[in-house]
Amino acid sequence: MVVVLDTVNGPAARHPEKAHRPDQPALKKPDWIRVKAPVSRGYAETHAIMRANGLHTVCEEAGCPNIGECWDKKHATFMIMGDTCTRACAFCNVKTGLPGALDPHEPQHVAEATAKLGLAHIVVTSVDRDDLTDGGAAHFAATIRAIRAACPTTTIEVLTPDFLRKDGALEVVVAARPDVFNHNLETVPSRYLTVRPGARYFHSIRLLQRVKELDPTMFTKSGIMVGLGEQRNEVLQVMDDLRSAGVDFLTIGQYLQPTRKHHAVNQFVTPDEFKAYETIAYAKGFLMVAASPLTRSSHHAGEDFARLKAARAGA
């Protein structure tokens, strides 16, 4: 899905496809969802590095609740290929519209920022770029190579789009050899038409399976949100589907509604329920599981990668 913005008649709306939707109900957040406002010195320094290099982060664009904690530690998830997505997912706060041209210098800028932040582990994600022939795969590969050249000891995790109908794109990214290949399912299959209408559940499962076929040693990772109206048995089926695809690492977090125009929160899942999901996921064979209300794909990614490697070594 591509939404073309009118750039002549004033500023474009962030979510033009949602502007005329009725407001959705907003449930009161429970105490376990509360986070502190980002005001630390480390946060300010990370912010300055991002702006100095002209970079975008999913931390900001998606309104991540963990931004204060992560940026204080100089951890940020770089979002390449601009800040405008060609998809219009009902849950996402990233801007929707027709993106601009790729910045050929962006891979080098990401590498320079990685060096300045002193990152031992970096996560690189992107908007969906359905407008590009390869979905941005070559840009991902160029970014991986630039980071390797500038910071050879830094481990690299990519969180990619689904490259739907982009033949050969996945192979380009895998050939660049990131340490972790992450692609999120986001929700259970019954919710796709409402929550993630531009994507296809079984295509995403096949994408993750194909990574393992191309490189069996590469760690694979995927995540879902809960609170979107899914049933418990559907979450367990997603776990089975991911294990059938050989996925190593599963993340499960609470969906939080960015605005009243976005998909409503159906329920707030309790910490005890998250703990139960974690226990079941480990029993199903995942090497690593992160499940909590504030779990996000890139939260504690560096520490989790170390644990993931240790889990494989001890398996």
Side-chain angles (χ1 to χ4, degrees):
M1 178 185 297
V2 177
V3 179
V4 179
L5 302 182
D6 182 353
T7 59
V8 176
N9 300 312
R14 185 175 180 85
H15 300 290
E17 81 292 348
K18 297 179 176 70
H20 301 294
R21 292 181 182 176
D23 286 355
Q24 298 297 315
L27 297 181
K28 182 180 179 182
K29 293 179 182 177
D31 290 341
W32 62 77
I33 294 293
R34 308 294 179 184
V35 294
K36 295 181 179 179
V39 294
S40 70
R41 178 178 177 180
Y43 172 88
E45 291 173 349
T46 301
H47 183 274
I49 290 171
M50 295 301 143
R51 296 295 81 79
N53 287 275
L55 298 171
H56 301 286
T57 69
V58 74
C59 322
E60 297 169 284
E61 300 300 334
C64 180
N66 302 312
I67 188 170
E69 175 191 350
C70 293
W71 281 31
D72 181 52
K73 299 175 182 177
K74 303 289 184 69
H75 295 168
T77 298
F78 295 90
M79 190 172 79
I80 60 175
M81 297 190 272
D83 65 349
T84 304
C85 187
T86 56
R87 303 273 175 97
C89 296
F91 67 88
C92 187
N93 197 40
V94 174
K95 188 190 306 181
T96 299
L98 183 63
L102 294 180
D103 177 1
H105 303 295
E106 184 175 49
Q108 186 59 40
H109 290 161
V110 171
E112 291 168 0
T114 302
K116 289 177 183 177
L117 290 166
L119 298 180
H121 184 83
I122 182 175
V123 182
V124 180
T125 189
S126 78
V127 291
D128 274 287
R129 291 298 302 257
D130 296 309
D131 58 311
L132 301 175
T133 304
D134 68 348
H139 204 72
F140 260 106
T143 303
I144 294 167
R145 291 192 294 268
I147 296 167
R148 291 267 187 246
C151 309
T153 62
T154 298
T155 51
I156 302 171
E157 180 173 329
V158 294
L159 171 54
T160 77
D162 58 13
F163 299 123
L164 187 63
R165 304 182 188 91
K166 307 294 183 183
D167 292 344
L170 175 65
E171 288 77 3
V172 170
V173 178
V174 174
R177 295 192 57 77
D179 296 281
V180 181
F181 187 101
N182 185 1
H183 171 65
N184 285 333
L185 295 181
E186 307 294 5
T187 187
V188 302
S190 69
R191 305 301 300 152
Y192 258 55
L193 286 178
T194 300
V195 174
R196 201 180 177 213
R200 299 295 179 267
Y201 176 81
F202 287 105
H203 170 81
S204 288
I205 290 288
R206 176 60 183 147
L207 184 86
L208 291 159
Q209 182 182 47
R210 180 66 178 145
V211 174
K212 284 292 190 182
E213 293 173 355
L214 293 167
D215 186 348
T217 68
M218 190 171 291
F219 288 105
T220 51
K221 179 177 176 180
S222 189
I224 63 168
M225 301 169 290
V226 290
L228 284 160
E230 72 289 331
Q231 299 297 312
R232 183 174 184 274
N233 65 309
E234 293 181 296
V235 175
L236 304 189
Q237 183 61 57
V238 167
M239 293 182 190
D240 288 337
D241 292 343
L242 288 172
R243 287 302 302 130
S244 295
V247 171
D248 302 297
F249 188 171
L250 172 66
T251 62
I252 307 176
Q254 172 70 52
Y255 166 62
L256 298 176
Q257 185 179 6
T259 73
R260 295 291 291 268
K261 298 297 183 182
H262 286 76
H263 195 292
V265 175
N266 181 267
Q267 70 172 125
F268 285 107
V269 177
T270 68
D272 286 345
E273 291 175 279
F274 276 105
K275 185 62 179 177
Y277 280 140
E278 178 186 298
T279 300
I280 294 168
Y282 273 122
K284 288 180 180 292
F286 289 97
L287 289 178
M288 182 75 192
V289 182
S292 75
L294 292 175
T295 289
R296 296 297 182 266
S297 291
S298 308
H299 194 207
H300 299 153
E303 297 95 324
D304 287 344
F305 178 62
R307 293 167 59 195
L308 187 61
K309 289 193 295 182
R312 176 181 282 180

